Amino acid sequence: MTEQEREREELFIDMGFVRHHEEPMPTPANPLKGQGRNTASGVWEPDPQESPVLNLKWHNDVRGSLVELYRQSWIGYNKTQGAPNETVRQVYISTTRPGVVKGWHVHAKQTDRFICVRGSVLLCTWWLDDRPGLITVQERILSADRDMVSVHVPPGMVHGWKALGNEEAWVLNLCSREYDGMDEFRKSPHAPLVEGDNPYNWNRRVDG
């Protein structure tokens, strides 16, 4: 602690403020655990073919609620992708009008972390290096009204989403690079995924 920080703390206490905790609070359990595997050495690591998902938790009391969206200590999986992806360098909210599709987008360097904070979206992801006819589109509903999640999209994973329902959707992104347009590659969401494959049907029925 610096001398300036110590003087500030003393001033806070002199003015009647009370430290909330005298000892550091324990770090919340890692919401990413269980989605990967144990290595031969017994160390947990994620499956590199998965898009890691953090199951976020609301903390409620009589005053209201709080949900933690990100802690760097949660994201051990990025050690396989290199240190730059462990850092959050820009945060923004992207809004999408009802029924509108944003995609396809892919990055060579950037890791995205998507959290829906208003409305809901259908988030679809797939790997750019999958061969035609073998592409598996992973679908996930991100909703601000139900159990919130943070979906981590690493470099090389193509992504897009469609706003569901009748209200504008807001998606928060905690990304590993400051946007300059150079690392964003785009393709129409209604074009074939790759040459020789079919387009993804954003309007297909899911009844069953």
Side-chain angles (χ1 to χ4, degrees):
M1 180 184 297
T2 68
E3 184 63 29
Q4 185 182 38
E5 290 169 341
R6 185 176 293 105
E7 291 176 356
R8 284 176 180 164
E9 287 195 353
E10 292 174 356
L11 176 62
F12 300 157
I13 293 171
D14 288 344
M15 295 181 66
F17 291 89
V18 178
R19 190 189 306 275
H20 188 44
H21 287 274
E22 291 299 330
E23 297 292 336
M25 296 175 62
T27 301
N30 190 332
L32 184 62
K33 293 292 186 183
Q35 296 183 49
R37 61 192 177 193
N38 288 320
T39 63
S41 62
V43 177
W44 179 88
E45 66 178 19
D47 184 336
Q49 293 301 312
E50 293 182 357
S51 178
V53 176
L54 294 169
N55 296 302
L56 306 178
K57 181 180 179 181
W58 282 101
H59 301 274
N60 305 301
D61 63 27
V62 294
R63 301 168 301 163
S65 305
L66 178 146
V67 59
E68 290 188 81
L69 302 181
Y70 175 81
R71 283 185 182 238
Q72 187 173 5
S73 59
W74 286 344
I75 316 301
Y77 84 93
N78 264 329
K79 293 175 182 177
T80 64
Q81 300 174 11
N85 291 320
E86 297 182 10
T87 304
V88 173
R89 288 195 168 93
Q90 184 178 9
V91 180
Y92 65 82
I93 288 178
S94 174
T95 72
T96 310
R97 298 187 186 280
V100 171
V101 177
K102 287 190 174 181
W104 296 109
H105 299 167
V106 66
H107 310 294
K109 302 174 183 177
Q110 179 172 303
T111 294
D112 290 322
R113 304 169 180 90
F114 294 131
I115 305 166
C116 186
V117 295
R118 177 182 176 185
S120 60
V121 299
L122 168 64
L123 173 69
C124 296
T125 59
W126 50 279
W127 285 100
L128 190 63
D129 56 2
D130 285 345
R131 289 178 294 172
L134 297 177
I135 291 177
T136 300
V137 177
Q138 298 179 340
E139 302 169 329
R140 176 176 289 273
I141 301 295
L142 276 59
S143 174
D145 297 329
R146 298 188 175 90
D147 294 336
M148 294 180 70
V149 298
S150 173
V151 179
H152 290 223
V153 179
M157 177 172 277
V158 185
H159 50 279
W161 67 67
K162 178 180 179 178
L164 304 176
N166 298 315
E167 68 171 320
E168 187 175 63
W170 292 13
V171 176
L172 177 76
N173 187 9
L174 300 89
C175 43
S176 64
R177 295 174 61 85
E178 293 189 21
Y179 185 82
D180 64 6
M182 295 294 293
D183 188 40
E184 178 160 291
F185 299 84
R186 297 185 177 188
K187 181 176 186 174
S188 168
H190 306 293
L193 301 184
V194 294
E195 186 176 353
D197 238 333
N198 295 319
Y200 178 77
N201 183 2
W202 292 95
N203 298 313
R204 70 182 180 87
R205 296 181 63 86
V206 293
D207 301 345

